[in-house]
Amino acid sequence: MDFGLPLVDNNKEQLDSRKITSQSKEQLIEKGYLPKIKGLYDHESPYIEAILLSHPHQDHYGLLSYISQKIPVYMSRGCKALIEISFFFGQTNYDLANIKTVRPWRPFRKGNFAITPYLVDHSGFDALAYLIEGEGKRIFYSGDFRGHGRKKILFDNLLKHPPRNIDYLILEGSMIGRDKGRYHSENDIEQEMINLFRDDEKLFFIACSSQNIDRLVSVYRACLKTDRTFVIDPYTAFVLDKLKVLSSKIPQAGWNNMKVFFVPNTYTEKMAESNDLYKFKAAKISFQEIVRIGSKLVIKDTFATRNIFGKKKALTNAELIFSMWDGYLRDVKSFWDNHKVKIVGIHSSGHAYIEELKSFVNAVKPKYIIPNHTFFPEKYRDILGGNIMLVRDKQSIIL
Ligand SMILES: [Zn+2]
Ligand SMILES: [Zn+2]
């Protein structure tokens, strides 16, 4: 289940991904970045039966390019689409060899296993949890999930109809030890943005991930309700365009209240080369136009965008909404401070809050919980109770 690039190093410092890409597979195995798992790499046989991918975040799929291409990788259609985009733009070297797409709640068999994907609410698009049954045991892998995003209903349904008789619940705990008591939902975010956007003198920039579709929808909806236009960059327009076959509700560049600023960066160049850029020509808005009607807009921040506005001294009356994990603010804070632009943090976690984890565990009542995707596995016992099976990194266990 998943084969991601760690977000942090052994000493819990942010991991520089160049550290990984600059080394050979053998070096990575030697240094422990790649686990020594028999049957996972090219030179070994028999092979691992399959890999189940939960969602398209690097910490879940970032190391897949190293595994044997004989191993099939299962994922949702949205997950496939987003990894394809990341590959196209060179953000990953995983070229999606040997993949199989699965549909939520449609069980399938692989070897001796019966597997049922569950669609879950997460900041990663089209995220899945998996129920895995085999040899009389039932394992539920939560992947990354939450109960307060735009697909909250999925979490509520999971509480109403939890998977039964689970022997092992492999449970993410990103918020364990990190929960700061700010329980913002995606709806709260939309409302807070509406309140800000009502100020009709200000030009707003928004810093958020182009692949966080829930968040882009929240910004778009807040724009609609305050009669503003959401100005995105070509890369974001590309992402939204690629996902429109999966949902007709995802806002598109050509819609009312959506415009595209052709910001000069490597993504835009890449799209010009492949002719994808011209698809958005009709939705194009120029810098001059943005300056003219600034207080009717909300601009998606990118490195190049903010630099253009900074250089041309077009940041008076501007405000930045920082809508990402706090840790990323470090990189950009000085720019906005230097230009005397006020920064307002409006964010909601992509991960389940403690109360959500508790209610989920209460509904599932697993025999054992295996902590996963957390800095504080030892805190699960106090917070969640029940039988906690602590497994160290790279330790093997037989379930
Ligand atoms: Zn994630
Ligand atoms: Zn994750």
Side-chain angles (χ1 to χ4, degrees), residues 124-181:
F125 186 66
D126 222 11
L128 298 175
Y130 287 99
L131 171 66
I132 301 145
E133 299 164 272
E135 296 189 346
K137 299 261 167 62
R138 290 160 65 81
I139 299 167
F140 194 83
Y141 171 47
S142 70
D144 288 357
F145 75 142
R146 62 175 171 180
H148 54 267
R150 303 217 79 94
K151 295 198 187 79
K152 171 184 167 37
I153 181 97
L154 294 170
F155 183 76
D156 296 341
N157 285 341
L158 206 51
L159 296 185
K160 271 187 226 150
H161 311 284
R164 301 270 175 214
N165 303 317
I166 297 300
D167 295 290
Y168 300 99
L169 170 62
I170 303 173
L171 181 65
E172 78 120 309
S174 312
M175 296 307 282
I176 287 184
R178 231 176 74 181
D179 197 326
K180 290 181 189 148

Side-chain angles (χ1 to χ4, degrees), residues 269-308:
E269 275 167 31
K270 174 94 190 155
M271 287 170 61
E273 270 167 37
S274 63
N275 284 327
D276 285 295
L277 185 62
Y278 307 104
K279 211 183 274 177
F280 307 115
K281 217 169 138 188
K284 190 175 170 179
I285 185 167
S286 66
F287 175 78
Q288 289 74 18
E289 181 76 353
I290 292 177
V291 172
R292 198 172 62 80
I293 57 166
S295 61
K296 300 293 272 172
L297 308 174
V298 175
I299 301 168
K300 164 89 175 64
D301 174 46
T302 75
F303 177 77
T305 312
R306 82 180 80 102
N307 278 311
I308 289 173

Side-chain angles (χ1 to χ4, degrees), residues 83-92 211 234-235 238-239 266-268 270-271 276:
I83 297 177
E84 259 167 10
I85 293 168
S86 296
F87 184 74
F88 177 76
F89 287 105
Q91 298 157 327
T92 174
Q211 295 204 1
Y235 168 65
F238 184 96
V239 172
T266 53
Y267 292 143
T268 306
K270 174 94 190 155
M271 287 170 61
D276 285 295

Side-chain angles (χ1 to χ4, degrees), residues 55 57 59-60 122-124 144 351 373:
H55 65 284
H57 277 161
D59 59 321
H60 295 258
H122 179 46
S123 52
D144 288 357
H351 301 276
H373 201 284

